[in-house]
Amino acid sequence: MLIYFKNSIRITTKNICNSISVRLCSNLPKSKSCSQLSVKAYGQPTATTHPHLIKDGEITPFIQRSEFQERRQRLVESIVAHSLNCDKNSKTHLIVIPSASKQFMSDKIPYVFRQNSDFLYLSGCLEPDSCLVLATSNSLNNHHAVMFMREKDSHSELWDGPRTSCEDCINLFGVEQALPITELGKYLECYMKSNGRAMLWYDFLAPIQKTVDSVMKEFLDEKFNKMWESPIMFVHRLRLIKSHAEIQLMQKSCDIAAESIANTISFSRPGVTEHQIFAHVDYECKMKGAEYLAYPPVVAGGNRANIIHYINNNQVVANNEMVLMDAGCEYHGYSSDITRTWPVNGKFTPEQAVVYEILLDIQKRLIELCYTFPSLDNLFDAMCSMLGKHLEESGLIRRSFTENPVRVAYKFCPHHVSHYLGMDVHDTPSVPRNIRVQPGMIITMEPGMYIHSGLKVPKEYQGMGIRIEDDVLITNDGPVVLTKKCPNKLEDIEKIASENQRA
C-alpha cells in the first residue's frame, strides 16, 4: 500500500503495523496556535503552562514557531542547492538530526539536561531521546518535517515529569507529523524503498544519541543504494547569522552575565576564596534569570591566571593579587562569555596597570577593526602585531633584530583572540575562522597576556595573567558591544573592586 504525504512524499507501509499506518496517513491535523492548546502538561514550558516565560505563538522564549519552520526550510534549500551544484544526482533528501540524551554522573543521578544545540535550533524541542527528520519530495525544496518522540509512559513520567505526546507535537512544534522514536527505523526503511536514490544527511562521525545512531548504522548497512553526508556544516552556517529574536536573547544573556560579574567584582576582597567568587557569580546569574553558567568558570587568583583553562577554583586570593575570572551564563539556549581581571584589594599596582592598559587598548582597536568586516584570523594577526609593538614600547621585552615581535607576542598570548558565540560558547565549530565576519554574527574579543616563569621580563611583571573579553555583535553600522554593562576601564574596575574593602 502506498501512502502519500503532503508535498507528494510517499513511503511504503506494507510491513508496518496498522497503528503506524494510521499515523502515517496524509490527513494530518493543521498546526494551531498555542492559545488553542488545552491547558495540560507538556515535556517543556509552553505559553499555556508558563505564560511568564513564553508568549502565545512562541515555542521557546522570544522565538516564534514560524521561525523554527523557516529555519528548517532554509536548511533544506541550502542542502538541495549544494547537491545540485555538486551534481549529486539525488532526487530526494533525508535529513536526520537527533536530540541529546540524559547523561548520568552516577547510578540514577543525572546531570542537568542540555539539549543538542543543532536539534534545538531546528525544532525548539527540549526533550531528550528525540529526533527530527526532514524529508524532501520530488520538488526538492519542499519538505516534510517529522518529529520522533518518546512515547507517553505513566511510570517514567511519575519520576521524571511529563512527556509531550506525538499528537501534541504537531501543534506545538509546527511539524507535519510525529511518531514514537521506536518507529524511526521503519520510517527510514519505508521512505528509502520508495526513494531509492535519496541522499542521506546524518553525522555518522560525531554521534549525539546512541538510540538514533544505532538505528542509522543498521539502516546504512542494509542493501539500499544510499549516499550520505553530514548536515552539520549547513546547520552551523545558518546558526552563524543571528535573527532579531536571537540577538534579543543574546543581549539578555550578556546583560545578566555582565551585571553578575560586576557585582561579583564588588563582592571580592583580600582573603576571599576562588570558590566563593565562583559561587557568587553563579548565584547572581541564576537570580537574574539564567538557567545555569555557560561553562565551568575560570576563577584564577595570582599566578594561577597563567593556567588558561584553570577551573580548580580552590585557592585563597591574597592581598596585592589579581583575579582573572572568565564566566558567562546560558539564557534559554544562548550563551554569553566575559572575562575580567581585577585587583582583589581594589588598586592595581603600577606594573599591573601597564599590562592592563596595553590589553584594553588592543581590545578597543580590534573592535574598531570590525568596521572593515575582517576574519577572526585577521583579528588574531592584528592582535599579535599590536601586542608585539606594545611589548617593545613598554620595555617588557628588549628590541631584537633577530626575532620578530609578532612571534614573541604569541608567547605572551598563545590563544586565539576571537571565536563565534551563540547557542554554544564556542559556537558553530565547523565554520572556519578565515571567513569575513558578516552582519548578524556575534564574536568574542579577548586579548590576553600570560607572563609565566618561562618568559624573560622584569621581575616585577612575573606571574601576571590578564585577559579582557567582551562579546561583539557585527552590524552594517559597525560593531556593538553586548557586554558593556560590565565595566572594563581601569578606573571603573578599581572603583567597583574597592566597594567591599575592609577599613
Side-chain angles (χ1 to χ4, degrees):
M1 178 176 66
L2 292 179
I3 296 175
Y4 288 82
F5 287 95
K6 180 182 177 182
N7 299 332
S8 300
I9 299 177
R10 61 179 187 174
I11 66 171
T12 304
T13 59
K14 182 177 179 180
N15 298 321
I16 304 180
C17 66
N18 291 334
S19 63
I20 301 175
S21 298
V22 171
R23 292 191 185 99
L24 293 179
C25 72
S26 59
N27 296 321
L28 299 171
K30 302 290 185 181
S31 295
K32 302 176 183 178
S33 68
C34 287
S35 62
Q36 293 174 284
L37 298 174
S38 59
V39 179
K40 56 182 175 180
Y42 295 86
Q44 65 187 69
T46 68
T48 52
T49 62
H50 293 70
H52 60 292
L53 292 178
I54 299 175
K55 296 179 181 179
D56 189 37
E58 295 176 346
I59 297 181
T60 57
F62 292 88
I63 303 182
Q64 295 281 322
R65 182 189 300 105
S66 59
E67 181 166 331
F68 288 101
Q69 292 170 323
E70 290 165 4
R71 291 172 179 178
R72 296 193 288 266
Q73 180 63 32
R74 285 190 289 126
L75 175 63
V76 169
E77 289 174 357
S78 63
I79 283 177
V80 168
H82 169 78
S83 297
L84 291 174
N85 289 336
C86 296
D87 193 26
K88 294 289 185 182
N89 199 29
S90 297
K91 291 184 177 181
T92 55
H93 299 265
L94 197 60
I95 306 164
V96 180
I97 308 290
S99 77
S101 293
K102 276 188 177 181
Q103 302 295 320
F104 291 83
M105 63 179 75
S106 62
D107 182 46
K108 298 180 182 178
I109 308 299
Y111 288 104
V112 174
F113 177 71
R114 186 181 188 276
Q115 188 58 279
N116 171 25
S117 296
D118 295 327
F119 176 80
L120 179 60
Y121 178 81
L122 293 168
S123 69
C125 178
L126 296 172
E127 295 193 46
D129 300 318
S130 309
C131 186
L132 172 67
V133 174
L134 305 178
T136 69
S137 67
N138 289 328
S139 58
L140 290 178
N141 280 336
N142 291 324
H143 75 277
H144 184 87
V146 187
M147 285 287 289
F148 290 85
M149 306 289 289
R150 299 171 301 172
E151 291 192 80
K152 299 286 288 182
D153 183 316
S154 58
H155 177 75
S156 296
E157 292 179 63
L158 174 66
W159 290 93
D160 299 326
R163 299 177 177 182
T164 304
S165 69
C166 288
E167 291 75 16
D168 289 328
C169 274
I170 294 171
N171 293 323
L172 184 59
F173 301 118
V175 295
E176 284 72 39
Q177 192 171 9
L179 297 169
I181 188 69
T182 53
E183 296 174 8
L184 175 61
K186 293 178 181 179
Y187 176 92
L188 297 174
E189 179 182 345
C190 290
Y191 178 89
M192 199 59 83
K193 281 182 178 178
S194 294
N195 299 274
R197 296 176 68 182
M199 181 74 180
L200 178 63
W201 297 88
Y202 173 75
D203 193 359
F204 283 99
L205 301 179
I208 298 294
Q209 183 195 137
K210 288 182 179 179
T211 300
V212 171
D213 195 57
S214 177
V215 170
M216 297 305 296
K217 286 178 178 176
E218 182 178 350
F219 176 58
L220 194 67
D221 288 340
E222 293 174 356
K223 295 180 180 179
F224 292 108
N225 180 25
K226 291 186 288 290
M227 301 176 288
W228 69 272
E229 282 191 32
S230 171
I232 300 306
M233 178 184 71
F234 299 93
V235 181
H236 287 184
R237 288 282 181 165
L238 294 179
R239 285 175 49 192
L240 191 61
I241 308 298
K242 275 56 177 181
S243 68
H244 176 70
E246 289 181 292
I247 291 170
Q248 287 182 293
L249 285 161
M250 287 296 298
Q251 182 64 77
K252 182 64 175 177
S253 180
C254 289
D255 285 346
I256 290 172
E259 293 170 1
S260 298
I261 290 172
N263 290 344
T264 301
I265 294 172
S266 66
F267 156 81
S268 66
R269 63 178 185 271
V272 71
T273 67
E274 294 164 345
H275 181 74
Q276 288 171 323
I277 295 173
F278 175 176
H280 197 276
V281 74
D282 186 31
Y283 169 81
E284 288 274 351
C285 285
K286 289 177 179 176
M287 288 299 291
K288 295 180 190 302
E291 284 89 352
Y292 32 75
L293 296 184
Y295 49 92
V298 173
V299 185
N303 187 50
R304 295 176 295 281
N306 288 303
I307 304 171
I308 295 173
H309 284 167
Y310 173 85
I311 58 172
N312 290 341
N313 304 338
N314 58 8
Q315 267 291 2
V316 176
V317 184
N319 192 26
N320 292 325
E321 286 189 326
M322 292 184 292
V323 177
L324 185 156
M325 182 166 72
D326 186 337
C329 68
E330 186 164 315
Y331 180 76
H332 297 300
Y334 287 81
S335 299
S336 47
D337 186 3
I338 303 172
T339 304
R340 289 293 183 269
T341 310
W342 71 93
V344 74
N345 64 7
K347 185 68 177 177
F348 286 102
T349 67
E351 293 77 20
Q352 291 170 349
V354 167
V355 176
Y356 191 91
E357 291 285 20
I358 286 173
L359 293 174
L360 192 62
D361 177 70
I362 290 172
Q363 191 202 49
K364 178 183 177 181
R365 291 165 63 187
L366 290 174
I367 292 172
E368 290 173 351
L369 191 59
C370 289
Y371 279 98
T372 65
F373 303 105
S375 69
L376 302 192
D377 285 343
N378 292 152
L379 291 170
F380 177 72
D381 292 341
M383 182 208 69
C384 288
S385 178
M386 295 175 194
L387 182 55
K389 185 177 180 181
H390 271 296
L391 288 170
E392 287 188 340
E393 291 177 348
S394 65
L396 273 164
I397 62 172
R398 294 180 179 179
R399 294 183 183 273
S400 172
F401 295 101
T402 59
E403 191 167 16
N404 188 331
V406 173
R407 292 180 61 86
V408 175
Y410 184 71
K411 296 178 182 179
F412 283 80
C413 184
H415 61 72
H416 210 288
V417 76
S418 184
H419 58 78
Y420 306 117
L421 184 67
M423 298 182 79
D424 297 322
V425 177
H426 284 258
D427 205 41
T428 60
S430 71
V431 179
R433 285 172 163 158
N434 62 1
I435 64 169
R436 285 182 172 272
V437 296
Q438 303 172 43
M441 290 185 185
I442 297 176
I443 63 174
T444 63
M445 202 67 74
E446 48 184 305
M449 282 180 63
Y450 311 93
I451 310 176
H452 52 79
S453 58
L455 297 173
K456 294 181 179 180
V457 298
K459 65 178 182 179
E460 55 267 28
Y461 291 94
Q462 284 283 351
M464 288 187 201
I466 300 179
R467 182 165 67 251
I468 306 171
E469 178 182 15
D470 284 281
D471 304 338
V472 180
L473 168 67
I474 306 299
T475 77
N476 284 314
D477 299 323
V480 176
V481 178
L482 300 178
T483 47
K484 60 185 177 183
K485 288 189 176 181
C486 189
N488 65 4
K489 292 182 180 179
L490 186 144
E491 58 272 20
D492 293 334
I493 289 289
E494 287 187 332
K495 181 179 179 181
I496 60 174
S498 300
E499 291 178 358
N500 195 32
Q501 303 303 315
R502 292 176 177 172

